[in-house]
Amino acid sequence: MVKRNNNQLPQNLPQLQNLIKRDPDSYKDEFIQQERHYKSLLKVFELSPAEHNKSLDELVMFMAQVAHCYPDVLVNFAQELIDILQKHSTVLHPDMRMSFCKALILLRNKNLLAPTDLLSLFFQLLRAQDKNLRTFLESHIINDIKNINAKHKNMKLNNTLQNFMFNMLKDNNTKAVKMSLSIMMELYKKNVWHDAKTVNVIATACFSKITKVMVAALKFFLSSDEPEKESDSSDSDDEVTPKDVMMANRFNKKTRKREKQLKKVKQLAVKKKKKNKAPNYNFSALHLLHDPQGMAEKLFRQLEKTHERFEVKVLTLDVISRLIGLHQLIILNFYPFIQRYLQPHQRDVTKLLLFVAQASHEYVPPDTLEPVLRTLVNNFVTERNSSDAMAIGLNAIRELCSRCPLAMNEDLLRDLVQYKSYRDRSVAMAARSLIHLYRTSVPEMLHKKDRGRPTEATIELKAKKFGEIDSKDYVPGAEVLLEEEATNMTIEGSDENDSDSDWIDVSHSEDEGNSRNVKADKSVDEIEEEEEEELSDEEGSEDDEEGSEDDEEGSEDDEEGSEDGVEENEDDEEDNKNHKKNKPAPKKPRLNKAEKKSMEEQLAEKKELAKAVSSTKFLTDEDFKRIEAMQIAKEVSGLKRGVKRSATEMESPRGELLTLGDIENIYKKKKTSKEERILSVRRGQEGREAFGYKVGRVNPHASTTNREKKKTKNFMMVKHKARSKVKRSFKDKQIALRNYLIKQKKMK
């Protein structure tokens, strides 16, 4: 009888591993036995490292799992594995190489191995011709560095690894360089190595001789950071709301004019709130470059000499244009180089137009941009092109001029403005958006009828020359703090019943205190007369509200304002004259000195008040909030159509970078495909009654009539009955009529 062996621990490594972790001292002898077996297998394996040894594979993983239980026995275990990987990294069997790497990661997780030793080894293993191994190592390197810097930044380790990776970017192995670059970019996106040194190391890869590495580095600078989640305790208290603007000027009397102005101010406040939000995309990598001018010049020289594909050239042009636009660089040769590609038939022409607009800023000499502008006009804005090409060209001109208004001359602008009445809506809307741009930046360049109605913001606007900086030694709009104090004193003495309704009258906000004193001295008839005249003016200008609804889609109201800018005033005067003819004119109220002052004098007084407030008072956050609310109110003060942006917003760029939507923003309904039309028809048929004959019987399951049955019969069965329906001849009709008349005569 064979004796049964109950001790299966030497062969059952998982069971032994479990027992050792529970009681290391009791099973130390068994572990020593496995450790000797491991060393013998390791010597045999070194004779033929290219072969797979399953026993050694299992033993290595077993030793790594229980290494923390016997650190004194396995003090050289990690170094032995590192030596094997360094010595035989290229000839090792892929499974054995993966097992050794996993064992080292287990030791690193148990803090039995220094991170620098392991990471430096893994960076060397990136040269191996094993895609699965490289992907596995990349994932571990990123997670390990992220965990190391989770609680606090380990600057010493980071500098060591960054220097090592910088040397890896100069390696001759393409895959190792590509993987190292990918690791650095991923660590930057995860905010682990979110510093200038990482960005500048990645910037050196833009000049690599390896095309894949160069393209990856260029795409890194074109990518965007993920937006951080906004916390509940955001800066919403500092934002100006429509209610703040409504409370800036409070009135008790309700008129249609004040309701319109209230609606406009609400729209403008909501629009400004959206613009003041943090941008969804943050291109901080471009801001962290040490020498953006040098990098842009090197990229441009590389672009002039390169023979790469057109896609690579487009990526390089994109990076150069972003550098020029964000850092306001001067590279004058860039514009003639890209100018030759500005043709409607050019591949990716909308991207090239985007690059031209991105590379424009106020410090570029207008003489440099004027040939580019002429090229856009000659190649795109001509009637021999399609309407889409014309609209895209006008949009590109608008974006270029929004960053450098002086590149446009007066004659060319007035020619382009004439497209506001073009037959195609997309072209007309693009021309109107150009009018809107110059209304709020350099209105003197437009024809008088295209300037629109002046507002307080446009009157304060000052046209700047090339290189001029409009710096102020005071806070614009600070005079509102003094006006609010006077208003509050007036409101406190007013009736409590009328204080519940808050109405805004921004057109008379500057003379609020004086106008109330004047109204108190007027008679009832005079006040009623003024209110009726005010209502008649409002009825003559009700069409103004229609334009404000389309301001988001390209400032459609610019066309209406430009055509009727002068005629509206004449119409209002005629309405007032007709009204006065029908009603006896009362006495004109006596105006005080403040009402007789011109707008320029009032603005000068406001400027002095703002200077006085800025120099004599410490402004709090609430004060700045009230000032911003009044600045928004200025946008609808005076004669104005629709809701427009302020001049200060137009002076600065609309955002960090442009998007293709700004160029391709064509106001036109796109032609739908056949599948989309069929889908639309199917959606319209949902819930509709079935088409066809409807049974008119109360009981739809009842038997059918003979007439209904005849519709399903064969024609040969009913053709003898169809003969009676044949039209009679004229002679037959005569005979029938004669017989009818004879019969009628006999009956009498």
Side-chain angles (χ1 to χ4, degrees):
M1 183 175 178
V2 180
K3 186 178 180 180
R4 186 173 181 180
N5 186 11
N6 293 325
N7 188 8
Q8 298 179 357
L9 289 180
Q11 288 77 26
N12 194 347
L13 292 179
Q15 184 182 1
L16 180 60
Q17 172 185 321
N18 185 25
L19 295 172
I20 289 175
K21 287 182 178 180
R22 293 186 178 186
D23 189 3
D25 296 334
S26 301
Y27 295 93
K28 188 173 183 179
D29 295 337
E30 286 81 357
F31 172 76
I32 295 296
Q33 180 182 359
Q34 297 295 337
E35 194 262 344
R36 291 173 182 170
H37 185 44
Y38 154 74
K39 288 188 175 181
S40 61
L41 287 175
L42 189 62
K43 291 180 180 179
V44 175
F45 175 75
E46 287 182 352
L47 299 176
S48 56
E51 296 180 2
H52 180 258
N53 192 328
K54 185 178 179 181
S55 300
L56 180 61
D57 189 351
E58 295 175 352
L59 270 175
V60 166
M61 295 304 297
F62 165 75
M63 305 282 282
Q65 289 285 354
V66 299
H68 63 284
C69 299
Y70 309 104
D72 52 340
V73 179
L74 298 178
V75 64
N76 296 323
F77 176 65
Q79 190 60 40
E80 290 174 353
L81 297 179
I82 292 174
D83 293 340
I84 292 175
L85 288 171
Q86 288 178 342
K87 186 177 180 181
H88 307 289
S89 61
T90 56
V91 297
L92 274 175
H93 191 275
D95 294 340
M96 295 299 298
R97 188 165 46 201
M98 181 68 77
S99 299
F100 291 162
C101 291
K102 289 180 178 179
L104 289 173
I105 291 174
L106 285 174
L107 296 176
R108 169 72 190 95
N109 294 337
K110 299 176 186 297
N111 292 324
L112 298 176
L113 186 61
T116 52
D117 298 338
L118 181 62
L119 293 177
S120 59
L121 170 67
F122 282 178
F123 279 121
Q124 294 176 7
L125 291 177
L126 292 177
R127 301 185 181 94
Q129 300 295 323
D130 189 350
K131 185 176 181 180
N132 294 330
L133 177 68
R134 292 197 304 270
T135 306
F136 176 76
L137 295 180
E138 179 188 8
S139 176
H140 170 73
I141 291 172
I142 293 171
N143 292 330
D144 194 19
I145 297 176
K146 182 179 178 181
N147 294 332
I148 291 172
N149 295 274
K151 294 183 179 179
H152 62 276
K153 298 288 184 181
N154 191 339
M155 298 306 299
K156 184 177 180 180
L157 176 63
N158 290 339
N159 290 332
T160 304
L161 294 176
Q162 285 174 345
N163 293 332
F164 188 83
M165 295 185 73
F166 180 72
N167 294 328
M168 286 292 296
L169 292 179
K170 301 177 183 178
D171 197 90
N172 295 326
N173 192 298
T174 304
K175 295 180 180 179
V177 175
K178 181 72 169 58
M179 193 63 69
S180 300
L181 181 64
S182 176
I183 291 170
M184 294 189 73
M185 291 190 297
E186 192 65 25
L187 289 171
Y188 177 85
K189 292 178 181 178
K190 290 181 178 293
N191 291 329
V192 180
W193 285 358
H194 205 271
D195 55 352
K197 184 175 181 180
T198 305
V199 173
N200 286 275
V201 169
I202 296 174
T204 59
C206 294
F207 310 103
S208 174
K209 296 180 180 179
I210 305 170
T211 304
K212 289 186 177 180
V213 175
M214 179 182 64
V215 169
L218 291 173
K219 287 184 177 180
F220 167 76
F221 286 103
L222 297 177
S223 61
S224 58
D225 297 343
E226 294 182 0
E228 297 181 359
K229 294 182 179 179
E230 298 180 358
S231 58
D232 296 334
S233 59
S234 60
D235 299 334
S236 58
D237 296 338
D238 299 333
E239 294 176 352
V240 178
T241 61
K243 184 178 179 181
D244 298 326
V245 186
M246 292 162 56
M247 297 296 291
N249 294 290
R250 294 188 291 183
F251 281 86
N252 297 327
K253 185 162 184 62
K254 302 177 182 180
T255 62
R256 284 169 52 190
K257 184 176 182 181
R258 288 172 185 164
E259 288 181 5
K260 287 182 181 180
Q261 290 177 339
L262 176 62
K263 182 179 178 182
K264 291 179 183 180
V265 171
K266 283 182 178 179
Q267 291 175 351
L268 190 60
V270 172
K271 189 175 180 181
K272 196 173 184 68
K273 183 179 178 182
K274 290 180 181 178
K275 287 183 175 294
N276 290 337
K277 284 185 178 179
N280 291 333
Y281 301 101
N282 182 17
F283 299 88
S284 58
L286 294 172
H287 294 283
L288 294 176
L289 293 170
H290 292 325
D291 185 13
Q293 178 75 35
M295 180 178 178
E297 290 177 354
K298 287 179 68 177
L299 281 173
F300 185 68
R301 287 197 298 269
Q302 177 178 285
L303 178 64
E304 290 179 318
K305 299 176 182 178
T306 188
H307 297 287
E308 296 289 346
R309 301 191 314 273
F310 181 73
E311 293 84 352
V312 180
K313 292 182 179 180
V314 169
L315 288 175
T316 309
L317 283 171
D318 198 356
V319 174
I320 296 172
S321 65
R322 293 193 182 194
L323 287 172
I324 294 174
L326 289 179
H327 296 278
Q328 296 184 336
L329 309 178
I330 303 295
I331 302 179
L332 301 181
N333 293 337
F334 174 79
Y335 305 98
F337 179 85
I338 200 173
Q339 182 179 343
R340 58 185 178 179
Y341 293 105
L342 302 180
Q343 299 287 343
H345 61 271
Q346 174 65 44
R347 178 183 173 189
D348 292 336
V349 67
T350 54
K351 290 184 179 180
L352 297 172
L353 293 173
L354 176 70
F355 304 157
V356 171
Q358 278 183 170
S360 305
H361 54 85
E362 57 182 351
Y363 296 113
V364 178
D367 297 340
T368 304
L369 289 176
E370 188 174 356
V372 180
L373 198 62
R374 286 284 182 183
T375 302
L376 291 175
V377 173
N378 296 335
N379 293 347
F380 287 88
V381 193
T382 58
E383 296 189 0
R384 65 176 179 269
N385 291 333
S386 64
S387 59
D388 290 353
M390 295 175 66
I392 288 173
L394 285 170
N395 287 337
I397 292 171
R398 181 197 67 228
E399 295 300 332
L400 188 149
C401 294
S402 68
R403 286 153 177 77
C404 186
L406 299 178
M408 177 75 72
N409 59 62
E410 186 174 344
D411 296 335
L412 181 59
L413 177 61
R414 294 190 177 184
D415 289 342
L416 295 176
V417 162
Q418 299 303 316
Y419 284 99
K420 66 184 179 181
S421 56
Y422 194 72
R423 61 180 180 272
D424 189 88
R425 185 170 180 266
S426 60
V427 179
M429 294 304 300
R432 292 172 195 171
S433 64
L434 189 62
I435 294 174
H436 174 70
L437 170 66
Y438 275 91
R439 276 185 182 179
T440 52
S441 57
V442 193
E444 295 80 8
M445 294 180 65
L446 291 169
H447 195 275
K448 188 175 181 181
K449 68 177 182 179
D450 295 327
R451 294 176 189 173
R453 297 186 176 186
T455 63
E456 188 174 346
T458 56
I459 293 173
E460 291 178 350
L461 186 63
K462 179 184 176 183
K464 296 189 296 184
K465 298 179 181 178
F466 175 66
E468 182 181 0
I469 299 175
D470 185 16
S471 59
K472 293 181 174 61
D473 56 351
Y474 65 96
V475 180
E479 71 277 359
V480 68
L481 301 178
L482 294 178
E483 294 178 5
E484 281 194 352
E485 292 177 1
T487 304
N488 293 334
M489 293 176 63
T490 307
I491 291 175
E492 288 175 0
S494 62
D495 188 12
E496 295 180 358
N497 296 331
D498 297 333
S499 62
D500 296 334
S501 58
D502 299 330
W503 297 90
I504 184 165
D505 191 358
V506 282
S507 60
H508 302 287
S509 60
E510 63 272 8
D511 299 327
E512 182 182 345
N514 296 325
S515 62
R516 291 186 176 181
N517 297 332
V518 173
K519 270 199 170 184
D521 298 332
K522 294 179 183 178
S523 63
V524 177
D525 295 336
E526 292 171 350
I527 294 174
E528 290 178 354
E529 172 65 16
E530 288 184 1
E531 290 175 358
E532 290 181 3
E533 289 180 5
E534 184 180 74
L535 288 174
S536 65
D537 293 340
E538 292 163 7
E539 291 173 357
S541 60
E542 282 182 351
D543 298 334
D544 299 351
E545 285 299 305
E546 297 176 0
S548 62
E549 296 176 359
D550 295 333
D551 187 69
E552 292 288 341
E553 302 176 358
S555 306
E556 185 175 359
D557 55 300
D558 293 347
E559 172 68 17
E560 299 173 3
S562 61
E563 292 178 351
D564 301 333
V566 181
E567 297 175 1
E568 282 284 339
N569 298 333
E570 298 175 358
D571 296 340
D572 293 342
E573 291 176 3
E574 291 178 2
D575 293 341
N576 293 335
K577 288 178 182 178
N578 297 331
H579 183 73
K580 290 176 182 178
K581 287 179 182 179
N582 300 330
K583 187 175 180 179
K587 288 184 179 181
K588 292 184 179 180
R590 181 178 297 176
L591 301 178
N592 56 23
K593 293 181 180 180
E595 290 178 318
K596 291 181 180 179
K597 292 178 182 177
S598 64
M599 180 65 76
E600 288 76 10
E601 292 176 350
Q602 294 177 17
L603 293 178
E605 289 183 1
K606 286 189 173 186
K607 183 177 179 181
E608 295 299 327
L609 289 174
K611 286 184 178 180
V613 173
S614 302
S615 59
T616 58
K617 184 179 180 180
F618 289 101
L619 301 180
T620 62
D621 292 341
E622 289 296 326
D623 294 336
F624 281 109
K625 193 175 179 180
R626 289 196 292 270
I627 291 171
E628 187 176 355
M630 181 54 68
Q631 292 297 98
I632 296 176
K634 285 182 180 181
E635 296 304 309
V636 293
S637 62
L639 302 174
K640 184 176 183 297
R641 292 176 177 269
V643 180
K644 297 187 176 71
R645 286 185 287 265
S646 63
T648 54
E649 289 179 9
M650 296 304 298
E651 288 177 2
S652 59
R654 300 182 183 179
E656 266 195 342
L657 295 173
L658 271 174
T659 59
L660 270 179
D662 298 325
I663 304 295
E664 298 176 347
N665 194 10
I666 299 176
Y667 303 95
K668 183 178 181 182
K669 187 176 180 181
K670 300 293 183 183
K671 186 177 180 181
T672 56
S673 62
K674 183 178 179 181
E675 291 77 10
E676 292 174 344
R677 292 196 297 272
I678 293 174
L679 197 62
S680 177
V681 171
R682 294 287 184 269
R683 285 197 296 266
Q685 292 175 346
E686 292 178 358
R688 195 178 67 182
E689 294 182 2
F691 180 78
Y693 176 75
K694 297 180 180 60
V695 179
R697 293 182 296 276
V698 177
N699 184 8
H701 302 290
S703 60
T704 58
T705 62
N706 291 333
R707 186 177 181 183
E708 292 173 345
K709 292 175 180 177
K710 187 172 66 175
K711 293 182 179 180
T712 59
K713 290 181 179 180
N714 192 353
F715 178 72
M716 298 303 293
M717 298 173 66
V718 295
K719 80 173 183 178
H720 62 282
K721 293 185 178 181
R723 290 176 182 173
S724 61
K725 295 184 179 180
V726 178
K727 289 185 178 181
R728 293 179 295 176
S729 64
F730 181 70
K731 186 176 180 180
D732 293 338
K733 290 181 180 179
Q734 284 181 327
I735 295 171
L737 179 60
R738 185 190 63 184
N739 295 335
Y740 172 74
L741 293 175
I742 292 172
K743 186 177 180 180
Q744 292 292 329
K745 190 174 181 180
K746 288 181 179 179
M747 290 176 64
K748 292 179 180 179

